[in-house]
Amino acid sequence: MAPTNNLNNMAIFSISWCLLSASSSPASSFSFPINGVIIPSSPLPSRYIKSSSVLHPSSTNKVNIDKVPTRRRRIRSGSHSLRGWVQGTDGEWTWEEDDPSAAYTPISSTTTATIDGESTGEISVQATPTLPSGKFRPKQSLGQNYLRDGNTVAKIVRAFAKDAVETLAASASKEDVAVAAKNNNPVDPTNFNSLKQQTGLRAVELGPGAGALTDVLLQSVGSSNLQCIEIDGRSVELLSEKHPSLRIHHEDVLQVDYAVLAKEEGGPLSIIGNLPYYITSQILFALADASHGNSVRSATVTMQWEVAQRIVAPTRCKDYGILSVVFQLYTTPKIHFKIPPTVFYPQPKVDSALLGLHFLGPTSLRRRLAGVSPAHLRSVVTTAFQQRRKTVRNGLKKLALEVYGGDAERVKEFFERSTGEGDLPPVVREARERGEEFAMGQILEEGWASRRPEELSPGQFVEVTRLLYGSQEGKKENWESMKLGNKVWRKLKHGVN
C-alpha cells in the first residue's frame, strides 16, 4: 500500500501546486527548490534562460532545469540572445563581447615558428588590430571568428610560405630556375624569408576580416604580390584605411572567378585564408575547379578539424568520403597543425586545423585521369557516397542503367568486369613503374562491386568511371588536350559557368 499512498500524495501536491500557480501574480510569484535550484511558479523570464533556440521575452517555453544559469544575462530591448550571439532589430546576429577592452586588445609577439618539424626563423606579429568597439562585432551570418594569437598567426604565415615556395619550385621550368639563379634568387623550398623576391608568387587572401594575417603577409610578400577577397564592407574600409596600397576586392568568395584573377596576375595563385566553417567545402571545390585551368597552385587554409581529417583520411574508415577522393586526386594534402578554439574571437566550440593543398595542375591531373572526364567522375563518386552503407553495386545500379539506356545485361557485365595491369592505360602503367602511390592503388580486383564506397581508393574510382563511361584515352593527344571543365565540383550558382 505504500506505493499507492505515495502516488496519492504526489497527485494532491500537484493539484495544490497548480492552484497556487494559477492564483499567484507575476509580482509575487511562489517558488520552491528542486535539487538546489529555485523554480518559480510563473513562466521564467527569458533573460534567465540559456537555450539553443531563440526566445522572445514573452515566451512561455518550458524550463529545462539543466539550462538555468547561475547568473542573470542582460538582454537589450528589441533583441534576442543565443549563447553570446545577439540578434538586432535588423535580424543580423553579432557577437556581444563580455569585455570589449579585453576582446580588442592587440596581442604582439616575436616567435620562432616550427612548421612540419622545421624552424622557420623569427617573425614579429600583432594578431588582432584595435577595432572600433561596438561597430566591428563578428557577424554570425558571415561565420566570422577572428584570429587573435600572435604565435598562431606566425605559424600560419610560415606554413603558407612553405606551401607557396615548394609549389613554386615544383612547377618552375628550367628557364625559370636559370633566370632566378642568374639574379641570385634561386627557387628554394626552404627560403621562407625572401618571399618578396620569389619569382612568380601571387598571393591571395580569402576573407582577411580584421587583418590579423594581412598585416604579417604584407611584411612578408609586399603589397605588389598580395590581394584580398572580402565580402564585409567594414573590413574593406578598415583595411583600406590601414593599408592604402593593398588591393582589396569587395566580393563574395564563392563568386570569385579565379581564372580571370590568375590571368590578370600573370599566372597561378597561392591561396591563404581563415575560412568560415559553413562554406569551407564549397570554397575548396571552387579551388579544385580553378586548378583545371592552372589558376591555383597552392592553398593554405584553416578549417574545422573534422573536415581536414576527412580530406586526408585513408580508405576503410568513416572519415573517408567525397572530400577524400577529390583532394587526394587533385592535390597533395597535408595537415600542418591543430588549432585550439582559444586563439579565435569569438571562440568556436570545435578544434580547427591548418591544411596545406599542393595542386597537381592540369597536366599532371590529366595523366592521373588518363582520359576520364571529371564530370563523369563526379557523378560516380557523389552517387556512390550518397548511399555509403550500400555496396558499390547497389549504389551505382541506377546510374549504370541510365548510362546504358536501361540495358540490364550491360549493367551486369559492367559490375563483373575488373582491371588488371594490362588493362590500365599506358600512362597509368608508366606511373606504376615509377612507383607513384596514386597509380599503385588503381587496379580494380574482382569483387570490387561488392565493397562499400569507403573501400575504394581515389584511383579505383577513376577506373570505375572509365569502365562505366569509357574515356578519351586512345591517342595520347586526345587526353592531353581534353577539357577538364570550368565548373565541375562547385555549385552551379557559384561563380561563372
Side-chain angles (χ1 to χ4, degrees):
M1 295 299 292
T4 304
N5 290 335
N6 287 338
L7 289 174
N8 291 336
N9 292 336
M10 290 176 66
I12 295 171
F13 175 80
S14 299
I15 295 171
S16 303
W17 171 250
C18 291
L19 292 173
L20 284 170
S21 299
S23 62
S24 61
S25 63
S28 58
S29 58
F30 184 78
S31 62
F32 74 101
I34 295 181
N35 294 335
V37 178
I38 302 298
I39 303 297
S41 60
S42 58
L44 194 66
S46 63
R47 63 177 177 270
Y48 286 96
I49 302 175
K50 285 183 179 177
S51 174
S52 58
S53 59
V54 178
L55 294 177
H56 190 274
S58 61
S59 171
T60 58
N61 289 2
K62 294 182 179 179
V63 178
N64 186 332
I65 294 176
D66 295 332
K67 294 184 179 180
V68 176
T70 56
R71 64 181 179 88
R72 252 172 103 162
R73 174 176 284 277
R74 184 179 176 184
I75 302 298
R76 295 196 307 268
S77 177
S79 66
H80 304 305
S81 177
L82 176 61
R83 294 180 181 176
W85 294 95
V86 174
Q87 185 182 36
T89 54
D90 60 351
E92 179 65 68
W93 290 86
T94 57
W95 184 258
E96 184 178 41
E97 67 276 10
D98 293 328
D99 184 356
S101 61
Y104 297 132
T105 300
I107 302 176
S108 297
S109 174
T110 300
T111 181
T112 300
T114 301
I115 304 299
D116 302 331
E118 299 180 13
S119 178
T120 60
E122 290 189 350
I123 182 172
S124 287
V125 296
Q126 177 174 295
T128 304
T130 303
L131 304 177
S133 182
K135 298 180 182 179
F136 205 114
R137 296 194 181 105
K139 290 184 177 181
Q140 191 181 55
S141 62
L142 299 179
Q144 292 176 332
N145 297 91
Y146 299 133
L147 284 163
R148 60 185 311 270
D149 176 69
N151 292 326
T152 303
V153 170
K155 290 177 67 177
I156 291 173
V157 173
R158 292 302 184 182
F160 166 71
K162 183 178 177 68
D163 290 332
V165 175
E166 283 183 349
T167 51
L168 275 169
S171 61
S173 65
K174 293 181 180 179
E175 293 77 11
D176 291 335
V177 173
V179 171
K182 185 177 180 180
N183 296 332
N184 197 27
N185 179 36
V187 180
D188 181 3
T190 63
N191 186 1
F192 301 101
N193 298 311
S194 59
L195 282 179
K196 290 182 182 179
Q197 289 77 40
Q198 287 295 332
T199 304
L201 177 64
R202 307 168 191 90
V204 176
E205 184 183 1
L206 304 182
L213 290 173
T214 314
D215 296 342
V216 184
L217 284 169
L218 284 170
Q219 298 173 22
S220 303
V221 306
S223 58
S224 61
N225 294 328
L226 175 66
Q227 53 188 317
C228 301
I229 311 294
E230 178 57 66
I231 193 174
D232 191 347
R234 303 172 306 164
S235 295
V236 174
E237 182 180 356
L238 179 72
L239 294 175
S240 297
E241 291 177 358
K242 188 171 184 180
H243 306 293
S245 62
L246 178 63
R247 293 172 294 165
I248 308 174
H249 302 271
H250 190 187
E251 186 178 2
D252 184 350
V253 69
L254 294 177
Q255 305 301 330
V256 174
D257 190 336
Y258 293 99
V260 172
L261 204 58
K263 185 177 180 180
E264 292 174 350
E265 291 300 295
L269 309 171
S270 298
I271 306 297
I272 181 174
N274 174 27
L275 304 185
Y277 288 158
Y278 73 106
I279 55 173
T280 295
S281 296
Q282 288 308 312
I283 293 175
L284 295 179
F285 285 139
L287 295 178
D289 281 348
S291 73
H292 289 169
N294 201 31
S295 299
V296 175
R297 177 181 283 124
S298 69
T300 310
V301 290
T302 64
M303 62 188 64
Q304 191 171 335
W305 174 255
E306 286 75 11
V307 176
Q309 289 286 86
R310 291 174 198 158
I311 290 174
V312 301
T315 56
R316 300 176 184 272
C317 73
K318 65 178 182 179
D319 288 332
Y320 185 80
I322 296 175
L323 287 173
S324 317
V325 173
V326 174
F327 290 98
Q328 290 176 31
L329 167 64
Y330 277 68
T331 75
T332 303
K334 182 174 186 177
I335 296 179
H336 286 298
F337 54 86
K338 197 171 188 176
I339 307 175
T342 52
V343 306
F344 294 98
Y345 168 75
Q347 294 184 19
K349 297 185 181 298
V350 294
D351 289 323
S352 303
L354 184 72
L355 183 78
L357 297 172
H358 295 191
F359 287 90
L360 298 181
T363 301
S364 297
L365 180 61
R366 285 190 179 97
R367 289 197 185 106
R368 281 192 175 181
L369 293 171
V372 170
S373 164
H376 290 162
L377 177 66
R378 181 184 187 276
S379 296
V380 170
V381 172
T382 55
T383 302
F385 279 103
Q386 280 173 356
Q387 305 178 79
R388 62 180 300 143
R389 291 182 177 274
K390 293 186 177 182
T391 63
V392 176
R393 183 194 308 275
N394 291 335
L396 294 181
K397 186 175 182 179
K398 183 177 179 181
L399 177 63
L401 284 169
E402 292 176 2
V403 172
Y404 293 132
D407 189 335
E409 190 62 31
R410 290 187 65 189
V411 171
K412 182 181 178 181
E413 291 177 2
F414 158 65
F415 286 120
E416 291 177 352
R417 290 177 64 187
S418 59
T419 58
E421 184 79 31
D423 300 315
L424 295 173
V427 67
V428 177
R429 293 201 299 270
E430 292 172 6
R432 288 173 62 85
E433 290 175 2
R434 292 192 299 269
E436 292 186 12
E437 184 179 355
F438 186 90
M440 298 305 289
Q442 212 154 333
I443 288 180
L444 273 178
E445 301 92 350
E446 291 185 6
W448 62 267
S450 299
R451 300 179 184 176
R452 289 185 175 180
E454 63 265 26
E455 296 181 78
L456 298 186
S457 70
Q460 288 174 322
F461 270 107
V462 172
E463 290 310 304
V464 170
T465 307
R466 190 190 316 281
L467 291 179
L468 180 60
Y469 286 97
S471 70
Q472 298 181 25
E473 180 228 339
K475 295 181 180 179
K476 186 177 180 182
E477 57 268 19
N478 287 347
W479 61 262
E480 281 193 336
S481 60
M482 181 184 70
K483 291 185 178 180
L484 298 173
N486 295 328
K487 186 180 290 188
V488 175
W489 300 101
R490 71 195 303 187
K491 292 182 178 180
L492 292 176
K493 65 181 181 180
H494 295 158
V496 298
N497 294 317

